[in-house]
Amino acid sequence: MKTLNEFMTEQLKDPEFREEYDKIQPELDVIRALVEARISQNLTQKELAVRTGIDQADISKLENGTRNPSLNLLKRLADGMGMVLRIEFVPKRK
């Protein structure tokens, strides 16, 4: 049985898959950053909800990719974790 990394490496060789994956990469980056930041603070979704006033169900939707956050919501989440939100533009790889 393949690991997830082995599977993804294989799939990313397919140009059509790669193109679609690249299209959703920014959303995946936001989700990954949010989850990693919350976990680094040893916070549950419920604890983060209490700190931010954002419903736990909404945090769950953000983390599973079924809701796109606004900039203001991301700022509130960052503040609730004692962090600063930073967004950057990075040159595309060739």
Side-chain angles (χ1 to χ4, degrees):
M1 180 180 249
K2 294 179 185 177
T3 67
L4 178 59
N5 285 340
E6 290 170 338
F7 176 76
M8 283 303 294
T9 298
E10 186 177 300
Q11 293 300 307
L12 289 170
K13 291 176 184 175
D14 176 356
E16 196 172 313
F17 181 90
R18 168 61 99 175
E19 182 180 346
E20 292 301 314
Y21 183 80
D22 287 346
K23 284 181 187 177
I24 63 167
Q25 192 60 52
E27 288 87 351
L28 295 176
D29 289 343
V30 169
I31 292 167
R32 186 176 299 113
L34 172 57
V35 172
E36 287 176 359
R38 180 177 61 76
I39 290 171
S40 77
Q41 300 286 314
N42 293 316
L43 292 172
T44 64
Q45 289 179 350
K46 182 146 182 83
E47 290 168 330
L48 183 56
V50 169
R51 286 186 180 192
T52 61
I54 298 167
D55 191 68
Q56 184 270 327
D58 289 331
I59 293 172
S60 177
K61 289 174 187 175
L62 292 169
E63 289 187 2
N64 69 33
T66 58
R67 179 170 179 212
N68 288 323
S70 68
L71 223 36
N72 285 334
L73 188 62
L74 290 173
K75 286 191 249 182
R76 285 175 61 193
L77 288 164
D79 189 53
M81 293 184 282
M83 297 180 165
V84 175
L85 177 65
R86 184 180 75 193
I87 299 173
E88 59 186 48
F89 289 89
V90 180
K92 291 181 180 182
R93 62 178 178 259
K94 294 179 182 186

